[in-house]
Amino acid sequence: MLAAMGSLAAALWAVVHPRTLLLGTVAFLLAADFLKRRRPKNYPPGPWRLPFLGNFFLVDFEQSHLEVQLFVKKYGNLFSLELGDISAVLITGLPLIKEALIHMDQNFGNRPVTPIREHIFKKNGLIMSSGQAWKEQRRFTLTALRNFGLGKKSLEERIQEEAQHLTEAIKEENGQPFDPHFKINKAVSNIICSITFGERFEYQDSWFQQLLKLLDEVTYLEASKTCQLYNVFPWIMKFLPGPHQTLFSNWKKLKLFVSHMIDKHRKDRNPAETRDFIDAYLKEMSKHTGNPTSSFHEENLICSTLDLFFAGTETTSTTLRWALLYMALYPETQGEHVEKVQAEIDRVIGQGQQPSTAARESMPYTNAVIHEVQRMGNIIPLNVPREVTVDTTLAGYHLPKGTMILTNLTALHRDPTEWATPDTFNPDHFLENGQFKKREAFMPFSIGKRACLGEQLARTELFIFFTSLMQKFTFRPPNNEKLSLKFRMGITISPVSHRLCAVPRV
Protein backbone atom coordinates (compact mmCIF):
# COMPACT_ATOMS: atom_id res chain seq x y z
CA MET A 1 0.00 0.00 0.00
CA LEU A 2 2.76 2.47 0.99
CA ALA A 3 4.76 1.51 -2.06
CA ALA A 4 1.75 2.14 -4.31
CA MET A 5 1.18 5.60 -2.77
CA GLY A 6 4.87 6.42 -3.23
CA SER A 7 4.70 5.41 -6.87
CA LEU A 8 1.59 7.58 -7.38
CA ALA A 9 3.29 10.59 -5.80
CA ALA A 10 6.35 10.07 -7.97
CA ALA A 11 4.17 9.83 -11.09
CA LEU A 12 2.33 13.04 -10.21
CA TRP A 13 5.61 14.85 -9.54
CA ALA A 14 6.90 13.72 -12.93
CA VAL A 15 3.95 15.22 -14.82
CA VAL A 16 3.74 18.48 -12.82
CA HIS A 17 5.92 21.07 -14.51
CA PRO A 18 7.93 23.22 -12.03
CA ARG A 19 6.41 26.34 -13.64
CA THR A 20 2.92 25.01 -12.96
CA LEU A 21 3.88 24.29 -9.36
CA LEU A 22 5.27 27.80 -8.95
CA LEU A 23 2.18 29.42 -10.46
CA GLY A 24 -0.04 27.30 -8.24
CA THR A 25 1.91 28.31 -5.14
CA VAL A 26 1.71 31.99 -6.09
CA ALA A 27 -2.03 31.71 -6.78
CA PHE A 28 -2.55 30.02 -3.41
CA LEU A 29 -0.55 32.74 -1.57
CA LEU A 30 -2.43 35.51 -3.37
CA ALA A 31 -5.78 33.94 -2.50
CA ALA A 32 -4.71 33.47 1.13
CA ASP A 33 -3.54 37.12 1.32
CA PHE A 34 -6.81 38.32 -0.23
CA LEU A 35 -8.92 36.36 2.27
CA LYS A 36 -6.73 37.42 5.19
CA ARG A 37 -6.70 41.11 4.30
CA ARG A 38 -10.25 41.40 2.96
CA ARG A 39 -11.77 44.57 4.33
CA PRO A 40 -14.56 44.01 6.86
CA LYS A 41 -18.04 45.24 6.07
CA ASN A 42 -18.39 49.00 6.54
CA TYR A 43 -14.65 49.51 6.94
CA PRO A 44 -13.31 53.03 6.15
CA PRO A 45 -12.50 53.50 2.44
CA GLY A 46 -8.93 53.70 1.20
CA PRO A 47 -6.66 53.26 -1.81
CA TRP A 48 -6.38 49.96 -3.67
CA ARG A 49 -3.79 47.70 -2.06
CA LEU A 50 -1.13 45.42 -3.53
CA PRO A 51 -0.86 41.82 -2.30
CA PHE A 52 1.44 41.47 0.74
CA LEU A 53 2.69 45.09 0.48
CA GLY A 54 -0.64 46.86 0.82
CA ASN A 55 -0.21 50.61 0.18
CA PHE A 56 3.49 50.64 1.09
CA PHE A 57 4.68 52.11 -2.21
CA LEU A 58 1.93 54.73 -2.29
CA VAL A 59 3.48 56.51 0.68
CA ASP A 60 6.54 58.74 0.37
CA PHE A 61 8.23 58.21 3.72
CA GLU A 62 10.27 61.40 3.30
CA GLN A 63 7.05 63.40 3.65
CA SER A 64 4.39 60.89 4.66
CA HIS A 65 2.43 63.47 6.71
CA LEU A 66 1.91 65.57 3.57
CA GLU A 67 1.29 62.59 1.29
CA VAL A 68 -1.67 61.36 3.34
CA GLN A 69 -3.45 64.71 2.98
CA LEU A 70 -4.11 63.78 -0.67
CA PHE A 71 -5.94 60.67 0.56
CA VAL A 72 -7.97 62.79 2.99
CA LYS A 73 -9.21 64.87 0.04
CA LYS A 74 -10.15 61.74 -1.89
CA TYR A 75 -11.55 59.46 0.82
CA GLY A 76 -12.66 61.78 3.63
CA ASN A 77 -11.94 62.32 7.31
CA LEU A 78 -11.76 58.62 8.08
CA PHE A 79 -9.78 56.50 5.63
CA SER A 80 -7.71 53.33 5.77
CA LEU A 81 -4.18 52.40 4.72
CA GLU A 82 -2.57 48.98 4.65
CA LEU A 83 1.18 48.65 5.26
CA GLY A 84 1.89 44.95 4.91
CA ASP A 85 0.03 43.27 7.78
CA ILE A 86 -0.60 46.59 9.54
CA SER A 87 -4.12 47.98 9.09
CA ALA A 88 -4.19 51.69 9.86
CA VAL A 89 -6.98 54.29 9.91
CA LEU A 90 -6.27 58.03 9.83
CA ILE A 91 -8.64 60.35 11.72
CA THR A 92 -8.95 63.96 10.53
CA GLY A 93 -10.82 66.95 12.00
CA LEU A 94 -11.28 68.23 15.55
CA PRO A 95 -14.75 66.69 16.20
CA LEU A 96 -13.64 63.16 15.21
CA ILE A 97 -10.31 63.42 17.04
CA LYS A 98 -12.09 64.49 20.24
CA GLU A 99 -14.68 61.73 19.80
CA ALA A 100 -11.95 59.08 19.54
CA LEU A 101 -9.36 60.30 22.06
CA ILE A 102 -11.63 61.78 24.74
CA HIS A 103 -15.21 60.50 24.52
CA MET A 104 -14.25 56.95 23.42
CA ASP A 105 -10.76 56.89 24.91
CA GLN A 106 -11.31 53.46 26.50
CA ASN A 107 -11.64 52.02 22.97
CA PHE A 108 -8.45 53.68 21.70
CA GLY A 109 -6.16 53.38 24.72
CA ASN A 110 -3.59 50.80 23.60
CA ARG A 111 -0.40 51.17 21.60
CA PRO A 112 0.17 49.07 18.46
CA VAL A 113 3.47 47.18 18.64
CA THR A 114 5.00 47.03 15.15
CA PRO A 115 7.71 44.44 14.36
CA ILE A 116 10.44 47.10 14.76
CA ARG A 117 9.11 48.16 18.17
CA GLU A 118 8.64 44.51 19.15
CA HIS A 119 12.30 43.88 18.34
CA ILE A 120 13.53 46.88 20.36
CA PHE A 121 11.13 47.28 23.29
CA LYS A 122 8.56 44.48 23.07
CA LYS A 123 5.68 45.97 25.15
CA ASN A 124 7.87 47.56 27.80
CA GLY A 125 8.34 51.18 28.79
CA LEU A 126 6.02 54.15 28.98
CA ILE A 127 5.36 54.83 25.30
CA MET A 128 4.61 51.33 23.92
CA SER A 129 3.00 49.63 26.94
CA SER A 130 -0.75 49.10 27.20
CA GLY A 131 -3.42 48.00 29.66
CA GLN A 132 -2.63 47.49 33.33
CA ALA A 133 1.14 47.62 32.82
CA TRP A 134 0.87 51.07 31.20
CA LYS A 135 -1.39 52.35 34.00
CA GLU A 136 1.09 51.18 36.65
CA GLN A 137 4.12 52.60 34.85
CA ARG A 138 2.48 55.95 34.09
CA ARG A 139 1.16 56.38 37.63
CA PHE A 140 4.56 55.57 39.11
CA THR A 141 6.43 57.87 36.69
CA LEU A 142 4.11 60.84 37.29
CA THR A 143 4.62 60.44 41.05
CA ALA A 144 8.39 60.15 40.60
CA LEU A 145 8.54 63.24 38.36
CA ARG A 146 6.60 65.25 40.92
CA ASN A 147 8.90 64.02 43.71
CA PHE A 148 11.92 65.17 41.70
CA GLY A 149 10.63 68.67 41.18
CA LEU A 150 8.01 68.71 38.42
CA GLY A 151 5.91 71.81 39.05
CA LYS A 152 8.23 72.91 41.88
CA LYS A 153 10.73 75.72 42.15
CA SER A 154 13.66 73.27 42.46
CA LEU A 155 13.24 71.92 38.91
CA GLU A 156 12.65 75.39 37.49
CA GLU A 157 15.92 76.52 39.07
CA ARG A 158 17.65 73.58 37.39
CA ILE A 159 16.25 74.68 34.01
CA GLN A 160 17.34 78.29 34.66
CA GLU A 161 20.85 77.08 35.52
CA GLU A 162 21.01 75.00 32.33
CA ALA A 163 19.77 77.96 30.29
CA GLN A 164 22.78 79.90 31.61
CA HIS A 165 25.12 77.09 30.50
CA LEU A 166 23.51 77.18 27.04
CA THR A 167 23.77 80.96 26.65
CA GLU A 168 27.44 80.79 27.71
CA ALA A 169 28.13 78.06 25.13
CA ILE A 170 26.46 80.13 22.40
CA LYS A 171 28.27 83.30 23.50
CA GLU A 172 31.57 81.50 22.85
CA GLU A 173 30.67 81.48 19.12
CA ASN A 174 31.23 85.28 19.12
CA GLY A 175 28.40 85.97 16.70
CA GLN A 176 29.93 83.69 14.05
CA PRO A 177 27.88 81.06 12.13
CA PHE A 178 27.29 77.81 14.07
CA ASP A 179 24.98 74.81 13.96
CA PRO A 180 22.69 75.05 17.02
CA HIS A 181 21.55 71.41 16.87
CA PHE A 182 23.65 69.65 19.50
CA LYS A 183 24.16 72.67 21.76
CA ILE A 184 20.38 72.82 22.24
CA ASN A 185 20.16 69.01 22.50
CA LYS A 186 22.73 68.93 25.29
CA ALA A 187 21.01 71.66 27.32
CA VAL A 188 17.54 70.14 27.06
CA SER A 189 18.78 66.59 27.62
CA ASN A 190 20.58 67.61 30.81
CA ILE A 191 17.22 68.40 32.44
CA ILE A 192 15.83 64.89 31.95
CA CYS A 193 19.27 63.40 32.73
CA SER A 194 19.25 65.15 36.11
CA ILE A 195 15.85 63.56 36.83
CA THR A 196 16.58 60.05 35.53
CA PHE A 197 20.32 59.64 36.23
CA GLY A 198 20.73 62.20 39.03
CA GLU A 199 23.40 64.18 37.20
CA ARG A 200 23.97 66.63 34.36
CA PHE A 201 26.78 66.18 31.82
CA GLU A 202 29.33 68.72 30.64
CA TYR A 203 28.76 69.62 26.99
CA GLN A 204 32.26 68.34 26.10
CA ASP A 205 31.66 64.93 27.75
CA SER A 206 32.40 62.31 25.05
CA TRP A 207 29.90 59.80 26.47
CA PHE A 208 27.16 62.42 26.45
CA GLN A 209 27.98 63.47 22.89
CA GLN A 210 27.87 59.86 21.71
CA LEU A 211 24.52 59.26 23.43
CA LEU A 212 22.93 62.26 21.74
CA LYS A 213 24.30 61.26 18.33
CA LEU A 214 22.90 57.75 18.76
CA LEU A 215 19.56 59.24 19.79
CA ASP A 216 19.52 61.57 16.78
CA GLU A 217 20.33 58.70 14.43
CA VAL A 218 17.58 56.37 15.71
CA THR A 219 15.08 59.24 15.50
CA TYR A 220 15.87 59.64 11.81
CA LEU A 221 16.35 55.97 10.86
CA GLU A 222 13.18 54.53 12.34
CA ALA A 223 10.95 56.47 9.93
CA SER A 224 13.02 55.56 6.85
CA LYS A 225 11.55 53.44 4.04
CA THR A 226 13.96 50.54 4.68
CA CYS A 227 13.10 50.38 8.38
CA GLN A 228 9.39 50.57 7.57
CA LEU A 229 9.92 47.72 5.10
CA TYR A 230 11.10 45.69 8.11
CA ASN A 231 7.58 46.10 9.50
CA VAL A 232 6.21 44.49 6.31
CA PHE A 233 8.72 41.63 5.94
CA PRO A 234 10.45 41.18 9.32
CA TRP A 235 11.18 37.48 8.70
CA ILE A 236 13.23 38.40 5.59
CA MET A 237 14.65 41.79 6.59
CA LYS A 238 16.20 40.50 9.81
CA PHE A 239 18.72 38.53 7.71
CA LEU A 240 19.57 41.45 5.39
CA PRO A 241 22.01 44.34 5.98
CA GLY A 242 20.75 47.92 5.94
CA PRO A 243 19.70 50.92 8.06
CA HIS A 244 17.40 48.72 10.18
CA GLN A 245 20.45 46.85 11.49
CA THR A 246 22.08 50.19 12.40
CA LEU A 247 18.85 51.16 14.16
CA PHE A 248 18.87 47.96 16.24
CA SER A 249 22.58 48.34 17.01
CA ASN A 250 22.10 51.95 18.18
CA TRP A 251 19.18 51.09 20.44
CA LYS A 252 21.24 48.22 21.86
CA LYS A 253 24.06 50.68 22.72
CA LEU A 254 21.55 53.07 24.33
CA LYS A 255 20.07 50.24 26.39
CA LEU A 256 23.57 49.17 27.43
CA PHE A 257 24.33 52.69 28.66
CA VAL A 258 21.17 52.74 30.79
CA SER A 259 22.00 49.25 32.08
CA HIS A 260 25.44 50.50 33.19
CA MET A 261 23.80 53.46 34.95
CA ILE A 262 21.45 51.08 36.77
CA ASP A 263 24.39 48.90 37.90
CA LYS A 264 26.18 52.02 39.14
CA HIS A 265 23.06 53.05 41.09
CA ARG A 266 22.79 49.58 42.66
CA LYS A 267 26.38 49.80 43.92
CA ASP A 268 26.27 53.25 45.49
CA ARG A 269 22.63 53.84 46.41
CA ASN A 270 21.35 54.39 49.92
CA PRO A 271 17.85 52.81 50.28
CA ALA A 272 16.93 55.59 52.71
CA GLU A 273 17.74 58.28 50.15
CA THR A 274 16.07 58.41 46.72
CA ARG A 275 18.22 60.54 44.42
CA ASP A 276 16.53 60.13 41.04
CA PHE A 277 14.14 58.11 38.86
CA ILE A 278 16.40 55.02 38.73
CA ASP A 279 16.70 54.94 42.53
CA ALA A 280 12.93 55.30 42.88
CA TYR A 281 12.31 52.49 40.37
CA LEU A 282 14.80 50.13 42.05
CA LYS A 283 13.01 50.80 45.35
CA GLU A 284 9.66 50.02 43.72
CA MET A 285 11.09 46.84 42.15
CA SER A 286 12.14 45.60 45.59
CA LYS A 287 8.49 45.73 46.69
CA HIS A 288 7.54 43.31 43.89
CA THR A 289 10.34 40.75 44.33
CA GLY A 290 9.06 37.25 43.63
CA ASN A 291 5.95 38.44 41.78
CA PRO A 292 6.29 37.12 38.19
CA THR A 293 3.26 39.14 36.98
CA SER A 294 4.59 42.51 38.18
CA SER A 295 5.37 45.13 35.54
CA PHE A 296 8.21 46.46 37.74
CA HIS A 297 11.25 44.60 36.44
CA GLU A 298 14.65 45.52 35.04
CA GLU A 299 13.70 45.47 31.36
CA ASN A 300 10.84 47.87 32.08
CA LEU A 301 13.22 50.10 34.04
CA ILE A 302 15.62 50.23 31.07
CA CYS A 303 12.84 50.93 28.57
CA SER A 304 11.04 53.50 30.74
CA THR A 305 14.32 55.35 31.38
CA LEU A 306 15.05 55.37 27.64
CA ASP A 307 11.52 56.63 26.91
CA LEU A 308 12.05 59.52 29.33
CA PHE A 309 15.51 60.22 27.89
CA PHE A 310 14.19 60.15 24.30
CA ALA A 311 10.96 62.10 24.86
CA GLY A 312 12.59 64.52 27.30
CA THR A 313 15.39 65.32 24.84
CA GLU A 314 14.13 65.04 21.27
CA THR A 315 10.75 66.79 21.31
CA THR A 316 11.66 69.92 23.28
CA SER A 317 15.06 70.42 21.63
CA THR A 318 13.55 70.03 18.14
CA THR A 319 10.86 72.60 18.99
CA LEU A 320 13.54 75.04 20.21
CA ARG A 321 15.51 74.54 17.00
CA TRP A 322 12.39 75.43 14.99
CA ALA A 323 11.88 78.46 17.27
CA LEU A 324 15.32 79.90 16.62
CA LEU A 325 15.00 79.16 12.91
CA TYR A 326 11.68 81.03 12.70
CA MET A 327 13.19 83.96 14.61
CA ALA A 328 16.10 84.16 12.12
CA LEU A 329 14.09 83.46 8.97
CA TYR A 330 12.97 86.31 6.69
CA PRO A 331 14.31 89.15 8.91
CA GLU A 332 12.82 91.71 6.51
CA THR A 333 9.25 90.42 6.89
CA GLN A 334 9.25 88.53 10.21
CA GLY A 335 11.60 90.78 12.14
CA GLU A 336 8.62 92.31 13.92
CA HIS A 337 8.10 89.07 15.88
CA VAL A 338 11.67 89.24 17.20
CA GLU A 339 11.30 92.93 18.08
CA LYS A 340 8.00 92.35 19.91
CA VAL A 341 9.37 89.38 21.88
CA GLN A 342 12.51 91.26 22.89
CA ALA A 343 10.57 94.40 23.78
CA GLU A 344 8.29 92.31 26.01
CA ILE A 345 11.31 90.65 27.66
CA ASP A 346 12.96 94.02 28.30
CA ARG A 347 9.74 95.44 29.74
CA VAL A 348 8.78 92.52 32.01
CA ILE A 349 12.07 91.00 33.20
CA GLY A 350 14.81 93.23 31.78
CA GLN A 351 18.35 92.09 30.96
CA GLY A 352 19.54 91.17 34.44
CA GLN A 353 16.72 88.96 35.75
CA GLN A 354 16.44 85.31 34.77
CA PRO A 355 13.23 84.26 32.97
CA SER A 356 10.81 82.25 35.11
CA THR A 357 7.35 80.76 34.63
CA ALA A 358 6.02 83.35 37.09
CA ALA A 359 6.59 85.94 34.35
CA ARG A 360 4.78 83.94 31.66
CA GLU A 361 1.33 85.42 32.31
CA SER A 362 2.81 88.90 31.90
CA MET A 363 4.40 87.90 28.58
CA PRO A 364 1.48 86.91 26.31
CA TYR A 365 3.29 87.69 23.05
CA THR A 366 6.32 85.53 23.88
CA ASN A 367 3.98 82.73 24.97
CA ALA A 368 2.01 83.10 21.72
CA VAL A 369 5.20 82.90 19.64
CA ILE A 370 6.21 79.65 21.36
CA HIS A 371 2.77 78.15 20.69
CA GLU A 372 2.89 79.27 17.06
CA VAL A 373 6.29 77.58 16.68
CA GLN A 374 4.74 74.37 17.97
CA ARG A 375 1.80 74.69 15.56
CA MET A 376 3.98 75.39 12.52
CA GLY A 377 6.82 73.04 13.51
CA ASN A 378 4.28 70.20 13.85
CA ILE A 379 7.01 67.86 15.07
CA ILE A 380 4.81 64.78 15.63
CA PRO A 381 2.54 65.16 12.59
CA LEU A 382 0.36 62.05 12.91
CA ASN A 383 0.56 61.79 16.71
CA VAL A 384 1.83 58.70 18.52
CA PRO A 385 -0.23 55.76 17.15
CA ARG A 386 -3.07 54.20 19.12
CA GLU A 387 -4.71 50.79 18.73
CA VAL A 388 -8.38 49.85 18.84
CA THR A 389 -8.94 47.72 21.96
CA VAL A 390 -12.40 46.34 21.03
CA ASP A 391 -14.48 46.33 17.84
CA THR A 392 -15.67 49.93 17.58
CA THR A 393 -17.92 52.10 15.44
CA LEU A 394 -16.66 55.62 14.71
CA ALA A 395 -18.46 58.04 12.37
CA GLY A 396 -20.55 55.11 11.14
CA TYR A 397 -17.51 53.01 10.17
CA HIS A 398 -16.52 49.67 11.68
CA LEU A 399 -13.02 49.56 13.20
CA PRO A 400 -11.99 46.01 14.17
CA LYS A 401 -9.97 45.33 17.32
CA GLY A 402 -6.24 45.71 16.61
CA THR A 403 -6.59 48.48 14.00
CA MET A 404 -3.85 51.11 14.25
CA ILE A 405 -5.18 54.65 14.69
CA LEU A 406 -3.30 57.72 13.47
CA THR A 407 -4.41 61.25 14.37
CA ASN A 408 -3.99 63.85 11.63
CA LEU A 409 -2.40 66.69 13.63
CA THR A 410 -0.91 68.11 10.42
CA ALA A 411 -4.37 68.86 9.01
CA LEU A 412 -5.64 70.04 12.40
CA HIS A 413 -2.80 72.52 12.88
CA ARG A 414 -3.29 73.87 9.33
CA ASP A 415 -7.09 73.76 9.27
CA PRO A 416 -8.38 76.97 7.59
CA THR A 417 -11.61 76.76 9.62
CA GLU A 418 -9.56 76.92 12.86
CA TRP A 419 -6.70 79.28 11.97
CA ALA A 420 -6.94 82.69 10.26
CA THR A 421 -3.69 82.24 8.31
CA PRO A 422 -3.01 78.49 8.58
CA ASP A 423 0.14 78.41 6.43
CA THR A 424 1.74 81.58 7.79
CA PHE A 425 3.67 82.09 11.02
CA ASN A 426 1.28 84.31 12.96
CA PRO A 427 1.39 84.60 16.79
CA ASP A 428 -1.98 86.41 16.65
CA HIS A 429 -3.54 82.95 16.41
CA PHE A 430 -2.94 82.73 20.18
CA LEU A 431 -3.82 86.30 21.12
CA GLU A 432 -7.11 88.04 21.82
CA ASN A 433 -7.23 91.70 22.89
CA GLY A 434 -3.54 91.50 23.71
CA GLN A 435 -4.00 88.51 26.04
CA PHE A 436 -2.89 84.92 25.49
CA LYS A 437 -5.70 82.69 24.21
CA LYS A 438 -5.80 78.89 24.44
CA ARG A 439 -6.94 77.07 21.31
CA GLU A 440 -8.85 73.77 21.33
CA ALA A 441 -7.43 72.85 17.91
CA PHE A 442 -3.87 73.03 19.28
CA MET A 443 -2.70 69.65 20.54
CA PRO A 444 1.04 69.00 20.07
CA PHE A 445 0.97 67.00 23.32
CA SER A 446 -2.11 65.03 22.21
CA ILE A 447 -5.22 64.81 24.41
CA GLY A 448 -6.97 62.30 26.63
CA LYS A 449 -5.53 59.80 29.08
CA ARG A 450 -2.53 59.03 26.87
CA ALA A 451 -1.51 62.66 26.41
CA CYS A 452 2.19 63.38 26.92
CA LEU A 453 3.02 62.94 30.63
CA GLY A 454 5.92 65.41 30.29
CA GLU A 455 3.76 68.26 28.98
CA GLN A 456 4.23 70.49 32.03
CA LEU A 457 8.01 69.95 31.99
CA ALA A 458 8.18 70.66 28.24
CA ARG A 459 6.15 73.87 28.54
CA THR A 460 8.41 75.11 31.34
CA GLU A 461 11.58 74.27 29.40
CA LEU A 462 10.33 75.87 26.18
CA PHE A 463 9.47 79.13 27.93
CA ILE A 464 12.64 79.45 30.01
CA PHE A 465 15.10 78.34 27.30
CA PHE A 466 13.47 80.38 24.52
CA THR A 467 13.09 83.52 26.62
CA SER A 468 16.67 83.24 27.94
CA LEU A 469 18.06 82.94 24.41
CA MET A 470 15.98 85.83 23.05
CA GLN A 471 16.95 87.92 26.09
CA LYS A 472 20.66 87.56 25.30
CA PHE A 473 20.82 87.20 21.49
CA THR A 474 19.31 88.17 18.17
CA PHE A 475 19.47 85.23 15.76
CA ARG A 476 20.24 85.97 12.12
CA PRO A 477 21.10 84.04 8.96
CA PRO A 478 24.84 83.96 8.15
CA ASN A 479 25.98 86.24 5.34
CA ASN A 480 25.47 84.66 1.93
CA GLU A 481 23.61 81.68 3.43
CA LYS A 482 19.90 81.24 2.91
CA LEU A 483 17.78 79.62 5.63
CA SER A 484 14.74 77.55 4.71
CA LEU A 485 11.91 75.59 6.30
CA LYS A 486 13.06 72.32 4.72
CA PHE A 487 12.63 69.45 7.14
CA ARG A 488 14.12 66.06 7.95
CA MET A 489 11.55 63.33 8.42
CA GLY A 490 12.05 60.99 11.36
CA ILE A 491 10.03 59.98 14.40
CA THR A 492 9.86 63.76 14.73
CA ILE A 493 10.02 66.43 12.03
CA SER A 494 13.15 68.52 12.54
CA PRO A 495 14.79 71.33 10.55
CA VAL A 496 17.48 70.25 8.10
CA SER A 497 21.01 71.02 9.23
CA HIS A 498 21.62 74.78 9.19
CA ARG A 499 23.76 77.51 10.72
CA LEU A 500 22.75 80.65 12.59
CA CYS A 501 24.52 83.72 13.91
CA ALA A 502 23.73 84.60 17.53
CA VAL A 503 24.42 88.32 17.81
CA PRO A 504 24.73 89.39 21.48
CA ARG A 505 22.28 92.10 22.48
CA VAL A 506 23.88 95.24 23.87
Side-chain angles (χ1 to χ4, degrees):
M1 180 67 177
L2 286 173
M5 288 180 68
S7 300
L8 179 61
L12 284 170
W13 180 255
V15 299
V16 174
H17 195 282
R19 188 184 300 165
T20 308
L21 189 65
L22 179 62
L23 288 172
T25 303
V26 170
F28 171 77
L29 290 173
L30 287 172
D33 180 70
F34 173 77
L35 291 171
K36 180 183 176 185
R37 307 304 308 163
R38 186 166 53 179
R39 284 176 174 152
K41 188 178 179 182
N42 211 31
Y43 191 64
W48 181 258
R49 60 180 296 278
L50 291 171
F52 309 113
L53 289 163
N55 306 124
F56 186 83
F57 287 109
L58 285 180
V59 178
D60 179 358
F61 288 95
E62 292 298 312
Q63 50 175 10
S64 54
H65 64 302
L66 302 178
E67 196 90 350
V68 295
Q69 307 312 323
L70 302 174
F71 296 134
V72 175
K73 288 181 180 177
K74 185 171 182 179
Y75 298 107
N77 285 350
L78 214 64
F79 80 87
S80 59
L81 276 177
E82 307 285 331
L83 300 173
D85 278 347
I86 299 170
S87 297
V89 168
L90 186 76
I91 301 176
T92 300
L94 184 59
L96 272 182
I97 291 172
K98 285 172 59 182
E99 179 69 18
L101 303 191
I102 294 179
H103 305 311
M104 300 177 69
D105 65 314
Q106 72 279 4
N107 292 18
F108 298 91
N110 283 358
R111 292 281 191 227
V113 181
T114 61
I116 273 189
R117 284 274 147 175
E118 173 70 27
H119 185 102
I120 301 165
F121 289 110
K122 296 187 168 58
K123 295 183 180 181
N124 294 311
L126 293 160
I127 296 173
M128 298 315 299
S129 57
S130 296
Q132 186 60 28
W134 166 72
K135 288 177 183 175
E136 289 174 359
Q137 296 302 310
R138 184 180 173 95
R139 191 182 305 119
F140 169 80
T141 303
L142 280 170
T143 301
L145 288 176
R146 279 194 289 268
N147 289 343
F148 297 116
L150 187 63
K152 297 177 184 175
K153 191 176 180 182
S154 57
L155 184 57
E156 184 163 323
E157 286 171 349
R158 231 178 293 174
I159 298 168
Q160 289 172 327
E161 181 187 329
E162 198 62 48
Q164 283 186 304
H165 287 293
L166 178 58
T167 54
E168 287 300 319
I170 291 176
K171 195 180 290 181
E172 289 172 6
E173 300 292 342
N174 295 315
Q176 296 303 303
F178 75 103
D179 184 342
H181 184 167
F182 283 105
K183 276 184 170 55
I184 292 173
N185 261 33
K186 290 167 189 174
V188 172
S189 188
N190 260 335
I191 303 305
I192 199 66
C193 284
S194 69
I195 294 171
T196 52
F197 307 133
E199 60 180 298
R200 72 173 295 276
F201 298 91
E202 293 299 326
Y203 294 178
Q204 292 76 29
D205 186 296
S206 58
W207 263 104
F208 191 37
Q209 291 176 352
Q210 185 188 1
L211 279 179
L212 293 176
K213 283 180 180 172
L214 287 171
L215 195 67
D216 182 64
E217 200 167 30
V218 298
T219 301
Y220 171 65
L221 286 176
E222 191 164 332
S224 68
K225 180 170 274 190
T226 307
C227 287
Q228 290 308 310
L229 197 59
Y230 181 95
N231 284 332
V232 179
F233 298 119
W235 61 92
I236 297 173
M237 294 294 290
K238 69 180 178 181
F239 298 110
L240 300 178
H244 57 295
Q245 302 294 3
T246 306
L247 177 77
F248 296 147
S249 171
N250 285 3
W251 274 118
K252 191 174 180 180
K253 289 173 186 172
L254 286 164
K255 285 175 122 177
L256 198 59
F257 170 79
V258 173
S259 188
H260 285 323
M261 293 297 282
I262 293 168
D263 289 341
K264 184 181 169 187
H265 276 65
R266 277 201 175 101
K267 287 172 187 171
D268 63 11
R269 83 186 184 102
N270 175 2
E273 180 193 352
T274 308
R275 299 165 295 182
D276 50 40
F277 178 79
I278 291 177
D279 270 359
Y281 204 105
L282 289 171
K283 188 175 181 180
E284 187 67 24
M285 277 172 59
S286 67
K287 298 176 186 175
H288 299 267
T289 304
N291 180 2
T293 63
S294 171
S295 67
F296 290 94
H297 48 76
E298 181 134 351
E299 187 62 23
N300 233 341
L301 169 54
I302 292 171
C303 293
S304 292
T305 304
L306 270 179
D307 280 345
L308 287 172
F309 181 61
F310 168 78
T313 298
E314 177 59 30
T315 53
T316 302
S317 64
T318 299
T319 304
L320 282 169
R321 285 165 60 204
W322 279 117
L324 298 190
L325 180 59
Y326 273 108
M327 293 300 97
L329 202 65
Y330 316 130
E332 308 81 16
T333 56
Q334 292 199 177
E336 63 171 305
H337 304 314
V338 176
E339 290 171 9
K340 286 183 178 179
V341 166
Q342 290 178 332
E344 189 173 69
I345 290 171
D346 293 346
R347 186 176 67 255
V348 177
I349 59 176
Q351 280 292 306
Q353 186 181 333
Q354 275 197 298
S356 67
T357 52
R360 185 161 47 191
E361 280 193 31
S362 304
M363 300 175 68
Y365 194 83
T366 304
N367 199 14
V369 165
I370 293 169
H371 281 68
E372 184 69 351
V373 167
Q374 290 181 278
R375 184 186 76 84
M376 292 289 287
N378 187 40
I379 67 167
I380 305 179
L382 301 179
N383 211 341
V384 184
R386 305 283 187 95
E387 184 179 80
V388 180
T389 56
V390 293
D391 287 1
T392 300
T393 300
L394 180 66
Y397 288 109
H398 174 67
L399 305 180
K401 179 183 177 181
T403 304
M404 180 190 286
I405 297 296
L406 300 170
T407 313
N408 196 351
L409 298 185
T410 299
L412 183 66
H413 290 158
R414 298 291 181 97
D415 187 343
T417 66
E418 298 287 346
W419 311 97
T421 57
D423 299 316
T424 304
F425 188 89
N426 179 8
D428 286 343
H429 288 138
F430 295 93
L431 292 167
E432 189 172 73
N433 300 322
Q435 296 302 307
F436 180 78
K437 178 187 178 184
K438 290 183 179 180
R439 298 295 299 267
E440 195 178 22
F442 175 77
M443 53 180 76
F445 300 104
S446 193
I447 52 172
K449 290 179 180 175
R450 291 212 74 145
C452 173
L453 62 77
E455 179 176 349
Q456 186 180 354
L457 174 61
R459 287 185 184 280
T460 303
E461 288 179 310
L462 285 173
F463 183 79
I464 291 176
F465 278 121
F466 177 73
T467 307
S468 297
L469 291 170
M470 295 301 291
Q471 181 187 43
K472 301 298 182 188
F473 306 101
T474 299
F475 292 89
R476 291 181 179 147
N479 292 334
N480 303 317
E481 288 185 31
K482 192 174 181 182
L483 298 175
S484 78
L485 292 174
K486 289 180 181 176
F487 58 84
R488 186 189 74 166
M489 193 74 194
I491 297 176
T492 59
I493 293 181
S494 60
V496 294
S497 182
H498 62 277
R499 301 197 303 167
L500 299 173
C501 294
V503 182
R505 296 184 68 209
V506 178

